[in-house]
Amino acid sequence: MTSNSPSSNQQKYESSNPVQRWLIQRLHQKLCRLVEPHAPRTAIDVGCGEGFFSRKLLDTFRGLELLGVDLSESAIREAQGRCPESRFEQSDVAALARDQESYDL
């Protein structure tokens, strides 16, 4: 795979298969419904990939302050383009354990 090739995650989200797209959309809707009663104001998306679910969170919870984290530099670039109002960092989960910030979600 070249660096310009979409990741398997991106291929999944951009699939032309209507069943696959419906299943992903349904999963996102169910997750957001579970979170909704908690009215998060801050969130961290660990393993955010190209920011597809980050975008859903931002669209669902207006004003959400979101940090996305992923190991892939190219995924972080894609996520930042998809969600310019949020912050994305290339980082390892182990590094987050040392972070003193807390998040609602």
Side-chain angles (χ1 to χ4, degrees):
M1 180 181 338
T2 66
S3 60
N4 293 334
S5 297
S7 70
S8 60
N9 185 58
Q10 187 170 1
Q11 288 174 1
K12 172 181 69 179
Y13 278 96
E14 295 177 343
S15 171
S16 60
N17 180 329
V19 174
Q20 186 170 1
R21 292 178 77 99
W22 178 80
L23 287 169
I24 291 169
Q25 181 182 30
R26 185 170 176 213
L27 172 65
H28 285 183
Q29 289 170 342
K30 284 185 174 244
L31 289 171
C32 287
R33 275 198 303 268
L34 287 171
V35 171
E36 193 170 24
H38 305 286
R41 294 188 313 177
T42 60
I44 184 167
D45 188 353
V46 177
C48 65
E50 292 84 3
F52 292 97
F53 186 59
S54 296
R55 180 76 267 155
K56 176 66 176 175
L57 288 172
L58 292 164
D59 291 343
T60 302
F61 303 103
R62 299 291 178 179
L64 182 69
E65 184 180 318
L66 184 134
L67 168 64
V69 179
D70 200 279
L71 286 174
S72 169
E73 184 179 340
S74 62
I76 290 297
R77 282 194 305 272
E78 289 277 335
Q80 191 66 71
R82 188 164 280 110
C83 310
E85 68 273 60
S86 294
R87 191 174 98 221
F88 292 89
E89 297 177 4
Q90 181 185 8
S91 185
D92 186 305
V93 171
L96 293 176
R98 294 185 293 272
D99 191 352
Q100 297 302 311
E101 290 185 63
S102 65
Y103 301 88
D104 299 332
L105 174 64

